[in-house]
């Protein structure tokens, strides 16, 4: 693509060619050849030169950029402040700004249309921006080859409704291969039975998977503490099946445990999506 005229030459040369053309010292074809522009562009510039030779310039003049109205500027900043309050609240599982949501909120509540780049620009200017972090890959990555090979199952206790006065437990089951959310349910109190009901819902709808992947919560796993005064020396970790585990055993479903915080984080990641 050819460079624009103002990048290829300067005002003095263009004026000189115009003077040469007007005095008939060079032809139109020759002038076009020197300037490397089309006839329409040539005559438009020539008219500007003839109207004001002293102040004529081919320097590119950018039109004044569209500035948003002060009312919209204030609305954007208010919405960004609301987002920041959610991020700063440790009880709410929100870690990043959602600029697309802000855009939709402004359109819905104020009937004002604003572009996403404009919102992001204001966010960066007013410290409402969190750069993406480089996440280290954990060393206990679970690899599957087909749907139903592994179901990740867990719960999380957060203020999922930001303006609610209490936290809720969110139980989820996710297919590791497809990342499909098989089950999601909000409950006030977490019990073994609520997890068994979640298990029932997944199996009745999608069938029996090969194995389940959970953390070492007491609902899922019997863990014997080393120095517990209640310790039964005849029963060690995993030698007593929990009710949840017993249901899986009866269905011939294997159960494996996340043995590190990094692996457990893979289960909890969907709470960010929700």
């Amino acid at each position: 693509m050819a460079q624009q005229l103002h990048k290829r030459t300067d005002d003095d040369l263009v004026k000189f060619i115009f003077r040469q053309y007007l005095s008939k010292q060079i032809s139109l074809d020759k002038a076009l050849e020197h300037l490397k522009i089309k006839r329409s562009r040539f005559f438009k510039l020539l008219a500007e030169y003839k109207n004001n030779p002293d102040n004529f310039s081919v320097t590119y003049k950018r039109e004044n950029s569209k500035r948003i109205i002060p009312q919209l500027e204030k609305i954007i900043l208010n919405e960004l402040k609301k987002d920041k309050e959610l991020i700063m609240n440790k009880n709410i599982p929100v870690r990043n700004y959602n600029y697309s949501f802000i855009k939709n909120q402004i359109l819905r509540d104020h009937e004002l249309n604003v572009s996403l780049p404009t919102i992001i620009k204001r966010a960066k200017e007013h410290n409402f921006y969190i750069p993406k972090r480089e996440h280290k890959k954990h060393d206990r990555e679970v690899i599957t080859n087909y749907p139903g090979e592994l179901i990740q199952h867990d719960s999380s206790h957060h203020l999922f409704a930001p303006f609610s006065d209490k936290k809720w437990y969110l139980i989820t089951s996710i297919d590791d291969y497809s990342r499909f959310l098989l089950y999601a349910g909000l409950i006030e109190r977490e019990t073994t039975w609520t997890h068994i009901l979640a298990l029932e819902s997944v199996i009745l709808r999608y069938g029996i998977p090969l194995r389940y992947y959970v953390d070492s919560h007491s609902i899922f796993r019997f863990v014997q503490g080393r120095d517990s005064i209640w310790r039964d020396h005849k029963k060690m970790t995993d030698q007593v099946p929990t009710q949840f585990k017993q249901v899986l055993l009866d269905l011939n479903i294997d159960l494996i445990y996340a043995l590190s915080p990094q692996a457990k984080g893979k289960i909890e990641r969907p709470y960010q999506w929700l």
Side-chain angles (χ1 to χ4, degrees):
M1 182 182 292
Q3 282 187 320
Q4 294 175 312
L5 180 61
H6 71 278
K7 293 182 178 179
R8 288 186 280 105
T9 185
D10 56 27
D11 295 339
D12 291 335
L13 178 59
V14 177
K15 289 179 182 180
F16 173 76
I17 292 174
F18 281 160
R19 288 195 297 269
Q20 292 286 91
Y21 171 75
L22 292 173
S23 63
K24 299 183 180 180
Q25 296 183 40
I26 60 173
S27 65
L28 175 61
D29 291 340
K30 204 69 175 175
L32 295 176
E33 182 182 344
H34 283 305
L35 296 176
K36 294 182 176 60
I37 58 177
K38 295 183 178 181
R39 290 171 60 97
S40 58
R41 174 69 170 157
F42 177 84
F43 285 112
K44 181 179 179 180
L45 291 173
L46 181 63
E48 293 178 8
Y49 170 74
K50 291 166 70 175
N51 287 334
N52 192 354
D54 295 333
N55 297 321
F56 173 80
S57 175
V58 294
T59 302
Y60 179 69
K61 301 181 182 63
R62 183 180 293 275
E63 297 291 333
N64 290 332
S65 59
K66 293 183 178 179
R67 295 187 59 83
I68 62 176
I69 59 176
Q71 176 193 2
L72 181 54
E73 183 98 25
K74 185 177 180 180
I75 291 171
I76 293 174
L77 295 180
N78 284 338
E79 292 296 332
L80 288 169
K81 287 178 182 176
K82 292 179 185 177
D83 236 14
K84 186 172 184 178
E85 289 174 2
L86 298 182
I87 294 171
M88 298 301 292
N89 189 335
K90 294 181 179 180
N91 293 321
I92 302 174
V94 175
R95 300 292 176 267
N96 297 292
Y97 291 95
N98 190 336
Y99 303 120
S100 296
F101 178 76
I102 291 175
K103 179 181 186 300
N104 294 334
Q105 283 290 97
I106 293 173
L107 181 61
R108 189 195 70 177
D109 296 341
H110 305 280
E111 297 184 351
L112 293 171
N113 200 0
V114 58
S115 69
L116 203 56
T118 298
I119 295 175
I120 295 174
K121 183 174 183 292
R122 297 305 187 278
K124 290 181 177 179
E125 290 174 349
H126 296 275
N127 197 27
F128 294 111
Y129 182 79
I130 300 176
K132 289 185 178 180
R133 294 183 300 171
E134 291 291 332
H135 295 283
K136 292 198 308 183
K137 293 183 179 179
H138 57 75
D139 56 358
R140 301 190 67 87
E141 186 173 4
V142 179
I143 300 175
T144 51
N145 299 304
Y146 50 85
E149 184 178 352
L150 182 73
I151 304 300
Q152 297 175 12
H153 180 86
D154 197 19
S155 68
S156 186
H157 194 215
H158 288 293
L159 197 66
F160 286 102
F163 303 108
S164 173
D165 59 350
K166 60 183 176 181
K167 295 182 180 181
W168 290 67
Y169 288 93
L170 176 62
I171 297 178
T172 55
S173 299
I174 302 166
D175 178 65
D176 182 73
Y177 179 79
S178 65
R179 312 309 301 161
F180 186 70
L181 190 62
L182 305 175
Y183 179 87
L186 285 168
I187 55 174
E188 291 188 60
R189 183 168 172 264
E190 182 185 32
T191 64
T192 298
W193 182 241
T194 56
H195 284 276
I196 292 175
L197 289 177
L199 176 67
E200 178 188 44
S201 175
V202 171
I203 291 175
L204 290 180
R205 185 170 185 181
Y206 300 103
I208 295 179
L210 185 63
R211 60 178 64 92
Y212 257 71
Y213 182 65
V214 297
D215 60 19
S216 294
H217 191 284
S218 59
I219 288 176
F220 308 128
R221 188 182 195 187
F222 173 77
V223 178
Q224 177 61 63
R226 184 180 60 181
D227 299 322
S228 172
I229 61 173
W230 304 107
R231 177 176 178 179
D232 180 355
H233 292 267
K234 297 179 183 179
K235 302 295 182 182
M236 303 298 290
T237 296
D238 291 333
Q239 288 186 344
V240 178
T242 63
Q243 290 178 307
F244 183 85
K245 183 176 181 179
Q246 186 61 57
V247 173
L248 293 179
L249 291 174
D250 291 343
L251 294 168
N252 291 323
I253 301 173
D254 292 335
L255 185 63
I256 58 176
Y257 302 102
L259 301 179
S260 69
Q262 291 85 0
K264 187 175 184 294
K266 187 175 183 182
I267 308 175
E268 295 180 338
R269 198 168 302 132
Y271 301 132
Q272 299 295 318
W273 309 339
L274 296 172

